[in-house]
């Protein structure tokens, strides 16, 4: 039997050519990364847990009418999806002011999370921005190249900005430090990757409905601590190769969201526990539990 062609490979997954035209297989590895790609660890069976979570989440979102690339759960750690040209963007939706949002908006306090009446969305560029003092002329490179060139001992030097924040204007997109309040001119201005109309449609038809469907599903999951709060989440979009339509692409799993049973940050079940340095056994148990909890999405 011929092995599928590897189309792309990253820290935590591989993209393989599907048997049919315009399809791919997304295969999750038994690994997690965090800390702006500075931390990587192997964890047995976590790929299957993440794939089960993604199948449950994407199936729910698709049933809510959101256009997705997801086709089916094709194996323990594999999803069959429609092939897409991925946008190098991460869309983040927040119900609460938390995480990096607090660094850009210090007027919100970290002791009591502020709840937004309407979810707030933001967009970030996946390519790393490099500027002064490393380069007098700012430029962008892939995260993989940035790790190879600049990451030393798990620390990024000054002048490297992973996942820069995008201020999307009609005629240009300004890139800013994602961990500091926005002020002054952007670190770099680039041509928009979406027209204003495409951006509005992506947010209104894909990004926000995805959050709404998952927020409602998590709220129905009752734990000993109470219902699960979906605090925030990130998603990625792509253009289907068969027709060019914008769809929810890539995976949505425990690496994608922040979830708090009973609204308690100390009870977090998401990847933040890995970033915070919890024992890998505890991280693995959280991912297994979240896989079981997302099984209830279809109930």
């Amino acid at each position: 039997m011929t092995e599928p062609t590897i189309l792309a490979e990253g820290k935590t997954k591989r993209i393989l050519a599907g048997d049919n035209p315009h399809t791919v297989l997304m295969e999750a590895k038994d690994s997690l990364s965090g800390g702006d790609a500075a931390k990587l660890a192997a964890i047995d069976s976590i790929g299957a847990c993440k794939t089960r979570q993604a199948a449950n989440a994407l199936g729910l979102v698709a049933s809510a009418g959101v256009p997705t690339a997801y086709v089916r759960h094709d194996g323990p750690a594999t999803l069959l999806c429609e092939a897409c040209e991925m946008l190098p963007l991460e869309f983040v939706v927040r119900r609460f002011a938390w995480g990096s949002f607090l660094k850009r908006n210090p007027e919100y306090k970290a002791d009591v999370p502020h709840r937004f009446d309407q979810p707030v969305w933001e967009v970030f560029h996946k390519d790393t921005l490099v500027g002064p003092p490393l380069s007098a002329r700012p430029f962008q490179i892939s995260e993989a190249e940035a790790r190879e060139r600049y990451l030393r001992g798990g620390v990024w030097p000054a002048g490297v900005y992973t996942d820069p924040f995008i201020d999307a204007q009609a005629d240009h997109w300004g890139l800013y430090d994602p961990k500091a309040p926005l002020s002054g001119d952007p670190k770099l201005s680039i041509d928009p990757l979406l027209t204003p109309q495409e951006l509005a449609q992506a947010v209104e038809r894909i990004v926000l409905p995805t959050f709404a469907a998952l927020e409602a599903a998590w709220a129905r999951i009752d734990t000993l601590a109470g219902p699960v709060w979906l605090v925030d989440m990130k998603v990625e979009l792509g253009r289907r190769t068969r027709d060019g339509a914008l769809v929810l692409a890539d995976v949505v799993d425990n690496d994608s969201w922040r979830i708090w049973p009973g609204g308690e940050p100390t009870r977090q079940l998401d990847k933040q526990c890995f970033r915070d340095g919890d024992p890998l056994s505890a991280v693995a148990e959280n991912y297994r539990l979240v896989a079981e909890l997302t099984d209830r999405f279809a109930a």
Side-chain angles (χ1 to χ4, degrees), residues 129-147:
L129 171 63
V130 181
L134 293 174
S135 173
R137 184 175 182 179
F139 63 92
Q140 282 186 278
I141 54 176
S142 71
E143 182 188 277
E145 185 177 353
R147 286 200 309 274

Side-chain angles (χ1 to χ4, degrees), residues 87-89 91 121 123 166-173 190-207 237 239 244 246:
L87 298 176
L89 305 173
F91 289 85
W121 67 272
V123 61
I166 297 174
D167 178 26
Q169 302 296 316
D171 60 345
H172 74 280
W173 284 5
I190 63 172
D191 292 334
L193 300 182
L194 296 169
T195 67
Q197 294 77 18
E198 286 177 323
L199 180 59
Q201 290 177 357
V203 170
E204 295 299 327
R205 298 180 182 179
I206 302 175
V207 176
L237 276 56
R239 297 186 188 275
L246 276 174

Side-chain angles (χ1 to χ4, degrees), residues 118-179:
Q118 297 297 324
V120 171
W121 67 272
E122 301 173 305
V123 61
F124 301 81
H125 206 295
K126 288 177 64 66
D127 287 345
T128 298
L129 171 63
V130 181
L134 293 174
S135 173
R137 184 175 182 179
F139 63 92
Q140 282 186 278
I141 54 176
S142 71
E143 182 188 277
E145 185 177 353
R147 286 200 309 274
E148 183 176 340
R149 290 175 62 174
Y150 299 112
L151 187 64
R152 297 293 181 269
V155 178
W156 292 104
V160 175
Y161 307 95
T162 58
D163 300 323
F165 178 87
I166 297 174
D167 178 26
Q169 302 296 316
D171 60 345
H172 74 280
W173 284 5
L175 304 185
Y176 288 83
D177 180 352
K179 297 180 179 179

Side-chain angles (χ1 to χ4, degrees), residues 20 30 80 124 131 144 189 196 247:
N20 299 316
D30 286 335
L80 177 66
F124 301 81
S189 289
V247 297

Side-chain angles (χ1 to χ4, degrees), residues 11-13 29-33 40-43 46-47 50 255:
K11 304 180 298 297
T12 60
K13 65 177 177 290
K29 298 180 180 181
D30 286 335
S31 61
L32 283 184
S33 69
L40 184 67
I43 303 177
I46 206 162
K50 291 169 59 177
D255 296 0

